[in-house]
Amino acid sequence: MIKAGVVGATGYTGVELVRILSRHPEVQLAGLTSQTYSEQSLDSVFPSTAGFSEAVLETQDIRSLADRCDVIFTALPHGISMDVVQEVVAAGKKVIDLGADYRFDDIKIYEEWYKVTHKTPELAAASVYGLPEINRKLILEADVIGNPGCYPTSIILGLAPLLKNGMVKTDTLIADSKSGVSGGGRGLNLAFHYAECNENFKAYNIGRHRHTPEIEQELGKLAGECVTISFTPHLVPMTRGILSTIYASLVNPCSTEEILDQYRDFYSEEFFVRVHPEGQYPQTKWVYGSNFCDIGLTVDNRTGRVVVVSAIDNLVKGASGQAVQNMNLIFGLDEKTGLDFAPVFP
Amino acid sequence: MIKAGVVGATGYTGVELVRILSRHPEVQLAGLTSQTYSEQSLDSVFPSTAGFSEAVLETQDIRSLADRCDVIFTALPHGISMDVVQEVVAAGKKVIDLGADYRFDDIKIYEEWYKVTHKTPELAAASVYGLPEINRKLILEADVIGNPGCYPTSIILGLAPLLKNGMVKTDTLIADSKSGVSGGGRGLNLAFHYAECNENFKAYNIGRHRHTPEIEQELGKLAGECVTISFTPHLVPMTRGILSTIYASLVNPCSTEEILDQYRDFYSEEFFVRVHPEGQYPQTKWVYGSNFCDIGLTVDNRTGRVVVVSAIDNLVKGASGQAVQNMNLIFGLDEKTGLDFAPVFP
Amino acid sequence: MIKAGVVGATGYTGVELVRILSRHPEVQLAGLTSQTYSEQSLDSVFPSTAGFSEAVLETQDIRSLADRCDVIFTALPHGISMDVVQEVVAAGKKVIDLGADYRFDDIKIYEEWYKVTHKTPELAAASVYGLPEINRKLILEADVIGNPGCYPTSIILGLAPLLKNGMVKTDTLIADSKSGVSGGGRGLNLAFHYAECNENFKAYNIGRHRHTPEIEQELGKLAGECVTISFTPHLVPMTRGILSTIYASLVNPCSTEEILDQYRDFYSEEFFVRVHPEGQYPQTKWVYGSNFCDIGLTVDNRTGRVVVVSAIDNLVKGASGQAVQNMNLIFGLDEKTGLDFAPVFP
Amino acid sequence: MIKAGVVGATGYTGVELVRILSRHPEVQLAGLTSQTYSEQSLDSVFPSTAGFSEAVLETQDIRSLADRCDVIFTALPHGISMDVVQEVVAAGKKVIDLGADYRFDDIKIYEEWYKVTHKTPELAAASVYGLPEINRKLILEADVIGNPGCYPTSIILGLAPLLKNGMVKTDTLIADSKSGVSGGGRGLNLAFHYAECNENFKAYNIGRHRHTPEIEQELGKLAGECVTISFTPHLVPMTRGILSTIYASLVNPCSTEEILDQYRDFYSEEFFVRVHPEGQYPQTKWVYGSNFCDIGLTVDNRTGRVVVVSAIDNLVKGASGQAVQNMNLIFGLDEKTGLDFAPVFP
């Protein structure tokens, strides 16, 4: 049994980790920390977990936690993870960070977009961007995983075959993404107040969302050249789900079916990526509560563009599910272990 | 492995059965029928199931299906199940009917409320009302299970300890229930048209909903006397979940904690009933996608009433999950098998 | 033109007052105050108001505001209004308080339920409970209006004819009410965080909600005797709307149509109360954005109870619309002035 | 008083016309027709209208209706309006068609995209595309108005200043639009079934939605050259509102403020277009229930693109409100008459 700890267990990605790990056949939850709710039982904070966990939330004591664990998941705001990660690594344990601190090859880019000085540049350099479908080999040997952002997961998986195969002009990329409100976390904010979100739809942070540079980093590696992208996030009046609609101009005319073939080929070994047949576009409900990334696309001959639609559950494939997928890889388990639950529909 | 068939697999309770059974470690899905979508693959109708089932939907041929199955779930409108059930029983196989046809001890009551003549009175007499927490022993030996209605499950479990223990006046019972829209099924109806339901709340069928008599039947057996209840269903702008707020006048004054003790005692062996501590009332989100029935209550000394709140997921404990729980009992499995997934929160 | 001020203009009832008053043909908005947003323009806080109001939010200076106004609406938390109201009255102007401080005939009851000492008992004694359909004559001559709570408006209007006519047993009253989330106000609170409310339904404050005593006060006066009621509020995943389902045992058997006749008679002169025909129950969407209270009911002969359903928009008839209705009365205008807009459907 | 009729009064745009026209100070509703509900009172079909209209729905008899009316609004599916419009024009009355039949300068384009043969090509040639902010002069003299589609209204108003001023490359236009579900109408369809839409988000008809050619027609006239656009509609789990996120590459670098200045200038006389300050993007809730089109934008220097966001209420500015705005123009009224209600927020 793998002994796992969660630092920051009472945010939405934290409690989603607990949901998944508590049913994982090869994992034992060895410790959960919370700043806000320490010394309380988990099920008093999240009554949904009653019957699944008798855990009491601990004050954060990383050394003690690392002693009891083989792997620690850090579900903390960016900038806060660095101290924790360093301490876990020093204790010789693996760490999967759900924040942004370990996602970048070049910490200057991190520092520029996040307005934070990185405290552990060596660890950042050694960390791996934990998108298994793209970086599986590197993940297998990593000590520190920078678990991808939710939007980037949907966009990188949505574009990877096109960029890898040189099918599109890299200066024409536009990702118009829409997220459920749980992506904003559990912290109070007027932007996530029910009466302000419900029966409402809006864009935010146009052209300056912090997920932009990690998207460009991974797309650039796939393309073998620098890539810029216009990225616009939106807030949808729903709890879970991200749908990205991605536009790119084709280098050469081709048919929808030809590109779908490339996608089916690229993802032929991937359980968690489902490529839909021509004429069918994914809906967020089709992946609700699951670790799937669903993809559909069409070639628009009138405009010379391909339009790709990808859908994930932002808290599963976009966060905690992908983190467990990374853990499975690191510990030599079947990647699907504990993650092969079906989407909840309707 | 138990070989299971689903008749009516493309309604919401049908596809929920497929979701649960496809991950059940002791079940093999042996056949799914659909009137509307026969000869189509299940995942073309419900893309959420892609990767979990390669089933092709069959035209309804019960004899052939029964030959391949140990148990058949019928997820059909009331009045339609009777022919199917008879044929399955004749083939010597078990049947769990998710409709109303086999829920009644007295078919006259069924016929009066449902305006249908029962075609198989002997089977109706031999069938068992499949609420495991109340009727477990009978279920173990049943050939035909009448799987409880969604509202009745929440109300009967919410009131059972009070009636069993003679704590409340049986002529003061009122159940004010609220259901998500999936309870209305997948059939098109202006009442379930998005723009008519969203940002809206309404009552319907006040005092004449067909779930009333099965509630009174089971409560009457618990109380040892005839019971009538005022039952008002409402439609909530959400997909899943039922919450029942139940009022009853106490025979003698007592404290909230005394009654909670009785509930904890009554349900002490029940994994799927979670009794909340004083001051905490269940929310439908806490049981989302799971087979739990959560219960909280308070004694209101000003009015001499106890107010009980119970919450279930109408498609799981209120339908398909409970059906699988019944199947587990009939086949001698641990009741939790394939059903011990955690609620999806948020 | 009536010059009107709003103290606390940036809560939901405040901005709803602005929406209504800015289109009122006989009103000029003379001043809006806000603690949080003072010195900002209203349309920077609520861009929905752009083009309708060029107001800049003022720091609270009641003397100055009262000088400029004929009437002041106070949209403040309970306990906070008292100082303001006293100052406005001292300046010889009318005040309509949307909080609870001036709703009670007996301030001991107020102090007991609200855990606050009342600072202006004489004003409280002179104030009028501003439910025009019940207290119109008193309102015409009032200086201080205690504008009714949202739940009480729906429940008192729903029960008034039954109690006035002595049709029901006054110890059998139960009001099961359901409210949209805007009723919780604009203040940040985990209970109103989008991901906690959406796709969720819950009860709260069972038997101890502070709206209980004002309901009992007004019902008692209608009945001519003391009345207690079981009142349970619930939170519905929608922004606006309250629906109350109200149960009472009949003194003598009678038909639905007989009671509907009494309601039609009781409300025959009331534009803002719409009594629905037999078999039709109001839905919150039917009153969305409007000042109507819609009522439907049925007699359940099996149980000897009448079940009444009433629906309002909690921010209009349940708060700001009713406040303007009171203002119209006080200033001798047609009660409908500025309030006769149609509900927004769908 | 203008006497107005509505053909197809029981769809969502029809009942929204009734909501607006019933409060319009210069209009008398002279007749409402419905195929489905003829001979029923309007308020039995839409109880929200009780107290505002005593109309009884008529079977469609255009000659009789035209005799009683000065103007007729046709709220019918495309292809169906043509016979009605011809008859109204023959009777010498004005007609405002909310469908697509009279939106096109070139009926070949209409016939190609709608797969229908146009029956009245002369009327189509004489009709005017009823977007007042762009075509006001032509509208003033028109007999037949082709009222714009909902998506096109948001996109054309969003792009007009950029194209008129030659600021963007016309082969780089992408409109990613999101609509509430009421845009799908009141007809039953699994795509608009509550449990299929709620807590879900999807794209549909990518690159082939029928609103594409009218967008290109009007943008082309503004640009003075042929324009193609990639247009992707999406369905948002809300009832009302359209938000379009529009991308275009700039011909020359410029600042956000420079472009905003052009927008403020272009729309300086337009009450119903509100241009937001830099850094603020419109939300659909800000225009809920109103006739506004709100616009915000940003220049993204990293990619050389301008991103425009526009928001409307699809049933008001996107349909019935705009139709009344057109009527006001035709009959020489102030354009705002009956339309200057404030948005409902929250």
mmCIF file with all atom_site columns, all heavy atoms in Angstrom, chain A residues 176 199 216 230 234 245 247 302 305, chain D residues 176 216 230 234 245 247 302 305:
data_model
loop_
_atom_site.group_PDB
_atom_site.id
_atom_site.type_symbol
_atom_site.label_atom_id
_atom_site.label_alt_id
_atom_site.label_comp_id
_atom_site.label_asym_id
_atom_site.label_entity_id
_atom_site.label_seq_id
_atom_site.pdbx_PDB_ins_code
_atom_site.Cartn_x
_atom_site.Cartn_y
_atom_site.Cartn_z
_atom_site.occupancy
_atom_site.B_iso_or_equiv
_atom_site.pdbx_formal_charge
_atom_site.auth_seq_id
_atom_site.auth_comp_id
_atom_site.auth_asym_id
_atom_site.auth_atom_id
_atom_site.pdbx_PDB_model_num
ATOM 1   N N   . ASP A 1 176 ? -10.601 29.345 -26.714 1.00 0.00 ? 176 ASP A N   1
ATOM 2   C CA  . ASP A 1 176 ? -11.705 30.000 -26.018 1.00 0.00 ? 176 ASP A CA  1
ATOM 3   C C   . ASP A 1 176 ? -12.260 28.959 -25.044 1.00 0.00 ? 176 ASP A C   1
ATOM 4   O O   . ASP A 1 176 ? -12.930 28.010 -25.448 1.00 0.00 ? 176 ASP A O   1
ATOM 5   C CB  . ASP A 1 176 ? -12.748 30.441 -27.046 1.00 0.00 ? 176 ASP A CB  1
ATOM 6   C CG  . ASP A 1 176 ? -13.795 31.357 -26.455 1.00 0.00 ? 176 ASP A CG  1
ATOM 7   O OD1 . ASP A 1 176 ? -14.699 30.833 -25.776 1.00 0.00 ? 176 ASP A OD1 1
ATOM 8   O OD2 . ASP A 1 176 ? -13.713 32.575 -26.664 1.00 0.00 ? 176 ASP A OD2 1
ATOM 9   N N   . GLU A 1 199 ? -27.243 32.016 -13.644 1.00 0.00 ? 199 GLU A N   1
ATOM 10  C CA  . GLU A 1 199 ? -27.941 32.690 -14.753 1.00 0.00 ? 199 GLU A CA  1
ATOM 11  C C   . GLU A 1 199 ? -27.089 33.852 -15.265 1.00 0.00 ? 199 GLU A C   1
ATOM 12  O O   . GLU A 1 199 ? -27.584 34.942 -15.551 1.00 0.00 ? 199 GLU A O   1
ATOM 13  C CB  . GLU A 1 199 ? -29.333 33.154 -14.281 1.00 0.00 ? 199 GLU A CB  1
ATOM 14  C CG  . GLU A 1 199 ? -30.293 33.612 -15.361 1.00 0.00 ? 199 GLU A CG  1
ATOM 15  C CD  . GLU A 1 199 ? -30.733 32.542 -16.338 1.00 0.00 ? 199 GLU A CD  1
ATOM 16  O OE1 . GLU A 1 199 ? -30.561 31.339 -16.068 1.00 0.00 ? 199 GLU A OE1 1
ATOM 17  O OE2 . GLU A 1 199 ? -31.258 32.896 -17.411 1.00 0.00 ? 199 GLU A OE2 1
ATOM 18  N N   . GLU A 1 216 ? 1.651   27.527 -23.648 1.00 0.00 ? 216 GLU A N   1
ATOM 19  C CA  . GLU A 1 216 ? 2.625   27.823 -24.713 1.00 0.00 ? 216 GLU A CA  1
ATOM 20  C C   . GLU A 1 216 ? 3.887   26.982 -24.566 1.00 0.00 ? 216 GLU A C   1
ATOM 21  O O   . GLU A 1 216 ? 4.483   26.538 -25.552 1.00 0.00 ? 216 GLU A O   1
ATOM 22  C CB  . GLU A 1 216 ? 2.944   29.323 -24.706 1.00 0.00 ? 216 GLU A CB  1
ATOM 23  C CG  . GLU A 1 216 ? 1.725   30.171 -25.086 1.00 0.00 ? 216 GLU A CG  1
ATOM 24  C CD  . GLU A 1 216 ? 1.985   31.673 -25.110 1.00 0.00 ? 216 GLU A CD  1
ATOM 25  O OE1 . GLU A 1 216 ? 3.019   32.112 -24.558 1.00 0.00 ? 216 GLU A OE1 1
ATOM 26  O OE2 . GLU A 1 216 ? 1.149   32.407 -25.677 1.00 0.00 ? 216 GLU A OE2 1
ATOM 27  N N   . SER A 1 230 ? -3.784  32.934 -28.172 1.00 0.00 ? 230 SER A N   1
ATOM 28  C CA  . SER A 1 230 ? -4.770  33.796 -27.517 1.00 0.00 ? 230 SER A CA  1
ATOM 29  C C   . SER A 1 230 ? -5.633  32.900 -26.657 1.00 0.00 ? 230 SER A C   1
ATOM 30  O O   . SER A 1 230 ? -6.266  31.958 -27.167 1.00 0.00 ? 230 SER A O   1
ATOM 31  C CB  . SER A 1 230 ? -5.658  34.511 -28.550 1.00 0.00 ? 230 SER A CB  1
ATOM 32  O OG  . SER A 1 230 ? -4.960  35.548 -29.175 1.00 0.00 ? 230 SER A OG  1
ATOM 33  N N   . HIS A 1 234 ? -13.626 31.756 -19.500 1.00 0.00 ? 234 HIS A N   1
ATOM 34  C CA  . HIS A 1 234 ? -14.984 32.214 -19.189 1.00 0.00 ? 234 HIS A CA  1
ATOM 35  C C   . HIS A 1 234 ? -15.523 31.410 -18.013 1.00 0.00 ? 234 HIS A C   1
ATOM 36  O O   . HIS A 1 234 ? -15.078 30.289 -17.770 1.00 0.00 ? 234 HIS A O   1
ATOM 37  C CB  . HIS A 1 234 ? -15.931 31.982 -20.370 1.00 0.00 ? 234 HIS A CB  1
ATOM 38  C CG  . HIS A 1 234 ? -15.545 32.677 -21.639 1.00 0.00 ? 234 HIS A CG  1
ATOM 39  N ND1 . HIS A 1 234 ? -14.516 32.229 -22.438 1.00 0.00 ? 234 HIS A ND1 1
ATOM 40  C CD2 . HIS A 1 234 ? -16.062 33.775 -22.254 1.00 0.00 ? 234 HIS A CD2 1
ATOM 41  C CE1 . HIS A 1 234 ? -14.411 33.039 -23.497 1.00 0.00 ? 234 HIS A CE1 1
ATOM 42  N NE2 . HIS A 1 234 ? -15.333 33.969 -23.419 1.00 0.00 ? 234 HIS A NE2 1
ATOM 43  N N   . THR A 1 245 ? -12.833 25.490 -26.799 1.00 0.00 ? 245 THR A N   1
ATOM 44  C CA  . THR A 1 245 ? -13.052 25.530 -28.243 1.00 0.00 ? 245 THR A CA  1
ATOM 45  C C   . THR A 1 245 ? -11.808 26.168 -28.831 1.00 0.00 ? 245 THR A C   1
ATOM 46  O O   . THR A 1 245 ? -11.473 27.308 -28.491 1.00 0.00 ? 245 THR A O   1
ATOM 47  C CB  . THR A 1 245 ? -14.298 26.361 -28.572 1.00 0.00 ? 245 THR A CB  1
ATOM 48  O OG1 . THR A 1 245 ? -15.370 25.921 -27.735 1.00 0.00 ? 245 THR A OG1 1
ATOM 49  C CG2 . THR A 1 245 ? -14.685 26.207 -30.032 1.00 0.00 ? 245 THR A CG2 1
ATOM 50  N N   . TYR A 1 247 ? -9.209  27.107 -32.055 1.00 0.00 ? 247 TYR A N   1
ATOM 51  C CA  . TYR A 1 247 ? -9.180  27.449 -33.473 1.00 0.00 ? 247 TYR A CA  1
ATOM 52  C C   . TYR A 1 247 ? -7.748  27.485 -33.976 1.00 0.00 ? 247 TYR A C   1
ATOM 53  O O   . TYR A 1 247 ? -6.865  28.020 -33.299 1.00 0.00 ? 247 TYR A O   1
ATOM 54  C CB  . TYR A 1 247 ? -9.807  28.827 -33.690 1.00 0.00 ? 247 TYR A CB  1
ATOM 55  C CG  . TYR A 1 247 ? -11.232 28.937 -33.196 1.00 0.00 ? 247 TYR A CG  1
ATOM 56  C CD1 . TYR A 1 247 ? -11.503 29.256 -31.866 1.00 0.00 ? 247 TYR A CD1 1
ATOM 57  C CD2 . TYR A 1 247 ? -12.300 28.702 -34.046 1.00 0.00 ? 247 TYR A CD2 1
ATOM 58  C CE1 . TYR A 1 247 ? -12.817 29.343 -31.404 1.00 0.00 ? 247 TYR A CE1 1
ATOM 59  C CE2 . TYR A 1 247 ? -13.621 28.787 -33.604 1.00 0.00 ? 247 TYR A CE2 1
ATOM 60  C CZ  . TYR A 1 247 ? -13.859 29.111 -32.274 1.00 0.00 ? 247 TYR A CZ  1
ATOM 61  O OH  . TYR A 1 247 ? -15.150 29.186 -31.822 1.00 0.00 ? 247 TYR A OH  1
ATOM 62  N N   . ARG A 1 302 ? -14.640 26.554 -45.438 1.00 0.00 ? 302 ARG A N   1
ATOM 63  C CA  . ARG A 1 302 ? -14.905 27.945 -45.833 1.00 0.00 ? 302 ARG A CA  1
ATOM 64  C C   . ARG A 1 302 ? -13.821 28.891 -45.321 1.00 0.00 ? 302 ARG A C   1
ATOM 65  O O   . ARG A 1 302 ? -13.510 29.885 -45.963 1.00 0.00 ? 302 ARG A O   1
ATOM 66  C CB  . ARG A 1 302 ? -16.253 28.420 -45.263 1.00 0.00 ? 302 ARG A CB  1
ATOM 67  C CG  . ARG A 1 302 ? -17.468 27.749 -45.847 1.00 0.00 ? 302 ARG A CG  1
ATOM 68  C CD  . ARG A 1 302 ? -18.736 28.255 -45.158 1.00 0.00 ? 302 ARG A CD  1
ATOM 69  N NE  . ARG A 1 302 ? -18.945 29.675 -45.336 1.00 0.00 ? 302 ARG A NE  1
ATOM 70  C CZ  . ARG A 1 302 ? -18.750 30.595 -44.409 1.00 0.00 ? 302 ARG A CZ  1
ATOM 71  N NH1 . ARG A 1 302 ? -18.366 30.258 -43.196 1.00 0.00 ? 302 ARG A NH1 1
ATOM 72  N NH2 . ARG A 1 302 ? -18.938 31.864 -44.665 1.00 0.00 ? 302 ARG A NH2 1
ATOM 73  N N   . ARG A 1 305 ? -9.953  26.699 -41.403 1.00 0.00 ? 305 ARG A N   1
ATOM 74  C CA  . ARG A 1 305 ? -9.587  26.433 -40.003 1.00 0.00 ? 305 ARG A CA  1
ATOM 75  C C   . ARG A 1 305 ? -10.062 25.054 -39.555 1.00 0.00 ? 305 ARG A C   1
ATOM 76  O O   . ARG A 1 305 ? -11.049 24.529 -40.052 1.00 0.00 ? 305 ARG A O   1
ATOM 77  C CB  . ARG A 1 305 ? -10.207 27.482 -39.073 1.00 0.00 ? 305 ARG A CB  1
ATOM 78  C CG  . ARG A 1 305 ? -9.648  28.867 -39.266 1.00 0.00 ? 305 ARG A CG  1
ATOM 79  C CD  . ARG A 1 305 ? -10.093 29.832 -38.176 1.00 0.00 ? 305 ARG A CD  1
ATOM 80  N NE  . ARG A 1 305 ? -9.579  31.167 -38.497 1.00 0.00 ? 305 ARG A NE  1
ATOM 81  C CZ  . ARG A 1 305 ? -10.274 32.135 -39.100 1.00 0.00 ? 305 ARG A CZ  1
ATOM 82  N NH1 . ARG A 1 305 ? -11.548 31.956 -39.392 1.00 0.00 ? 305 ARG A NH1 1
ATOM 83  N NH2 . ARG A 1 305 ? -9.708  33.278 -39.393 1.00 0.00 ? 305 ARG A NH2 1
ATOM 84  N N   . ASP D 1 176 ? -16.870 33.335 -31.161 1.00 0.00 ? 176 ASP D N   1
ATOM 85  C CA  . ASP D 1 176 ? -17.180 32.198 -30.294 1.00 0.00 ? 176 ASP D CA  1
ATOM 86  C C   . ASP D 1 176 ? -18.328 32.654 -29.388 1.00 0.00 ? 176 ASP D C   1
ATOM 87  O O   . ASP D 1 176 ? -18.132 33.445 -28.457 1.00 0.00 ? 176 ASP D O   1
ATOM 88  C CB  . ASP D 1 176 ? -15.931 31.822 -29.502 1.00 0.00 ? 176 ASP D CB  1
ATOM 89  C CG  . ASP D 1 176 ? -16.066 30.507 -28.773 1.00 0.00 ? 176 ASP D CG  1
ATOM 90  O OD1 . ASP D 1 176 ? -16.747 30.498 -27.721 1.00 0.00 ? 176 ASP D OD1 1
ATOM 91  O OD2 . ASP D 1 176 ? -15.520 29.506 -29.240 1.00 0.00 ? 176 ASP D OD2 1
ATOM 92  N N   . GLU D 1 216 ? -22.058 37.568 -42.014 1.00 0.00 ? 216 GLU D N   1
ATOM 93  C CA  . GLU D 1 216 ? -21.111 37.928 -43.073 1.00 0.00 ? 216 GLU D CA  1
ATOM 94  C C   . GLU D 1 216 ? -21.682 39.010 -43.986 1.00 0.00 ? 216 GLU D C   1
ATOM 95  O O   . GLU D 1 216 ? -20.956 39.893 -44.461 1.00 0.00 ? 216 GLU D O   1
ATOM 96  C CB  . GLU D 1 216 ? -20.733 36.680 -43.865 1.00 0.00 ? 216 GLU D CB  1
ATOM 97  C CG  . GLU D 1 216 ? -19.949 35.678 -42.993 1.00 0.00 ? 216 GLU D CG  1
ATOM 98  C CD  . GLU D 1 216 ? -19.516 34.418 -43.731 1.00 0.00 ? 216 GLU D CD  1
ATOM 99  O OE1 . GLU D 1 216 ? -20.048 34.151 -44.839 1.00 0.00 ? 216 GLU D OE1 1
ATOM 100 O OE2 . GLU D 1 216 ? -18.652 33.695 -43.204 1.00 0.00 ? 216 GLU D OE2 1
ATOM 101 N N   . SER D 1 230 ? -15.423 32.585 -38.837 1.00 0.00 ? 230 SER D N   1
ATOM 102 C CA  . SER D 1 230 ? -15.645 31.303 -38.141 1.00 0.00 ? 230 SER D CA  1
ATOM 103 C C   . SER D 1 230 ? -16.591 31.572 -36.990 1.00 0.00 ? 230 SER D C   1
ATOM 104 O O   . SER D 1 230 ? -16.285 32.396 -36.122 1.00 0.00 ? 230 SER D O   1
ATOM 105 C CB  . SER D 1 230 ? -14.330 30.744 -37.578 1.00 0.00 ? 230 SER D CB  1
ATOM 106 O OG  . SER D 1 230 ? -13.536 30.210 -38.593 1.00 0.00 ? 230 SER D OG  1
ATOM 107 N N   . HIS D 1 234 ? -22.543 27.954 -28.771 1.00 0.00 ? 234 HIS D N   1
ATOM 108 C CA  . HIS D 1 234 ? -22.514 27.035 -27.620 1.00 0.00 ? 234 HIS D CA  1
ATOM 109 C C   . HIS D 1 234 ? -23.789 27.217 -26.803 1.00 0.00 ? 234 HIS D C   1
ATOM 110 O O   . HIS D 1 234 ? -24.413 28.272 -26.844 1.00 0.00 ? 234 HIS D O   1
ATOM 111 C CB  . HIS D 1 234 ? -21.325 27.339 -26.702 1.00 0.00 ? 234 HIS D CB  1
ATOM 112 C CG  . HIS D 1 234 ? -19.983 27.248 -27.341 1.00 0.00 ? 234 HIS D CG  1
ATOM 113 N ND1 . HIS D 1 234 ? -19.498 28.221 -28.196 1.00 0.00 ? 234 HIS D ND1 1
ATOM 114 C CD2 . HIS D 1 234 ? -18.996 26.321 -27.242 1.00 0.00 ? 234 HIS D CD2 1
ATOM 115 C CE1 . HIS D 1 234 ? -18.267 27.876 -28.596 1.00 0.00 ? 234 HIS D CE1 1
ATOM 116 N NE2 . HIS D 1 234 ? -17.943 26.736 -28.030 1.00 0.00 ? 234 HIS D NE2 1
ATOM 117 N N   . THR D 1 245 ? -17.604 36.185 -27.791 1.00 0.00 ? 245 THR D N   1
ATOM 118 C CA  . THR D 1 245 ? -16.198 36.547 -27.662 1.00 0.00 ? 245 THR D CA  1
ATOM 119 C C   . THR D 1 245 ? -15.637 36.536 -29.076 1.00 0.00 ? 245 THR D C   1
ATOM 120 O O   . THR D 1 245 ? -15.670 35.499 -29.741 1.00 0.00 ? 245 THR D O   1
ATOM 121 C CB  . THR D 1 245 ? -15.465 35.541 -26.768 1.00 0.00 ? 245 THR D CB  1
ATOM 122 O OG1 . THR D 1 245 ? -16.228 35.352 -25.571 1.00 0.00 ? 245 THR D OG1 1
ATOM 123 C CG2 . THR D 1 245 ? -14.071 36.029 -26.415 1.00 0.00 ? 245 THR D CG2 1
ATOM 124 N N   . TYR D 1 247 ? -12.680 37.491 -31.969 1.00 0.00 ? 247 TYR D N   1
ATOM 125 C CA  . TYR D 1 247 ? -11.242 37.647 -32.170 1.00 0.00 ? 247 TYR D CA  1
ATOM 126 C C   . TYR D 1 247 ? -10.958 38.200 -33.559 1.00 0.00 ? 247 TYR D C   1
ATOM 127 O O   . TYR D 1 247 ? -11.571 37.758 -34.531 1.00 0.00 ? 247 TYR D O   1
ATOM 128 C CB  . TYR D 1 247 ? -10.546 36.296 -32.035 1.00 0.00 ? 247 TYR D CB  1
ATOM 129 C CG  . TYR D 1 247 ? -10.776 35.622 -30.703 1.00 0.00 ? 247 TYR D CG  1
ATOM 130 C CD1 . TYR D 1 247 ? -11.903 34.817 -30.498 1.00 0.00 ? 247 TYR D CD1 1
ATOM 131 C CD2 . TYR D 1 247 ? -9.888  35.787 -29.647 1.00 0.00 ? 247 TYR D CD2 1
ATOM 132 C CE1 . TYR D 1 247 ? -12.129 34.203 -29.272 1.00 0.00 ? 247 TYR D CE1 1
ATOM 133 C CE2 . TYR D 1 247 ? -10.105 35.171 -28.423 1.00 0.00 ? 247 TYR D CE2 1
ATOM 134 C CZ  . TYR D 1 247 ? -11.228 34.382 -28.243 1.00 0.00 ? 247 TYR D CZ  1
ATOM 135 O OH  . TYR D 1 247 ? -11.449 33.782 -27.028 1.00 0.00 ? 247 TYR D OH  1
ATOM 136 N N   . ARG D 1 302 ? 0.584   40.712 -27.217 1.00 0.00 ? 302 ARG D N   1
ATOM 137 C CA  . ARG D 1 302 ? 1.398   39.507 -27.440 1.00 0.00 ? 302 ARG D CA  1
ATOM 138 C C   . ARG D 1 302 ? 1.035   38.821 -28.741 1.00 0.00 ? 302 ARG D C   1
ATOM 139 O O   . ARG D 1 302 ? 1.886   38.232 -29.406 1.00 0.00 ? 302 ARG D O   1
ATOM 140 C CB  . ARG D 1 302 ? 1.199   38.502 -26.308 1.00 0.00 ? 302 ARG D CB  1
ATOM 141 C CG  . ARG D 1 302 ? 1.714   38.942 -24.945 1.00 0.00 ? 302 ARG D CG  1
ATOM 142 C CD  . ARG D 1 302 ? 1.379   37.884 -23.889 1.00 0.00 ? 302 ARG D CD  1
ATOM 143 N NE  . ARG D 1 302 ? 1.998   36.617 -24.172 1.00 0.00 ? 302 ARG D NE  1
ATOM 144 C CZ  . ARG D 1 302 ? 1.374   35.547 -24.635 1.00 0.00 ? 302 ARG D CZ  1
ATOM 145 N NH1 . ARG D 1 302 ? 0.073   35.575 -24.844 1.00 0.00 ? 302 ARG D NH1 1
ATOM 146 N NH2 . ARG D 1 302 ? 2.014   34.436 -24.881 1.00 0.00 ? 302 ARG D NH2 1
ATOM 147 N N   . ARG D 1 305 ? -3.872  40.652 -31.535 1.00 0.00 ? 305 ARG D N   1
ATOM 148 C CA  . ARG D 1 305 ? -5.314  40.547 -31.742 1.00 0.00 ? 305 ARG D CA  1
ATOM 149 C C   . ARG D 1 305 ? -6.075  41.502 -30.836 1.00 0.00 ? 305 ARG D C   1
ATOM 150 O O   . ARG D 1 305 ? -5.615  41.834 -29.748 1.00 0.00 ? 305 ARG D O   1
ATOM 151 C CB  . ARG D 1 305 ? -5.808  39.122 -31.449 1.00 0.00 ? 305 ARG D CB  1
ATOM 152 C CG  . ARG D 1 305 ? -5.296  38.093 -32.412 1.00 0.00 ? 305 ARG D CG  1
ATOM 153 C CD  . ARG D 1 305 ? -5.995  36.744 -32.274 1.00 0.00 ? 305 ARG D CD  1
ATOM 154 N NE  . ARG D 1 305 ? -5.350  35.817 -33.203 1.00 0.00 ? 305 ARG D NE  1
ATOM 155 C CZ  . ARG D 1 305 ? -4.404  34.932 -32.867 1.00 0.00 ? 305 ARG D CZ  1
ATOM 156 N NH1 . ARG D 1 305 ? -4.013  34.820 -31.619 1.00 0.00 ? 305 ARG D NH1 1
ATOM 157 N NH2 . ARG D 1 305 ? -3.853  34.164 -33.798 1.00 0.00 ? 305 ARG D NH2 1
#
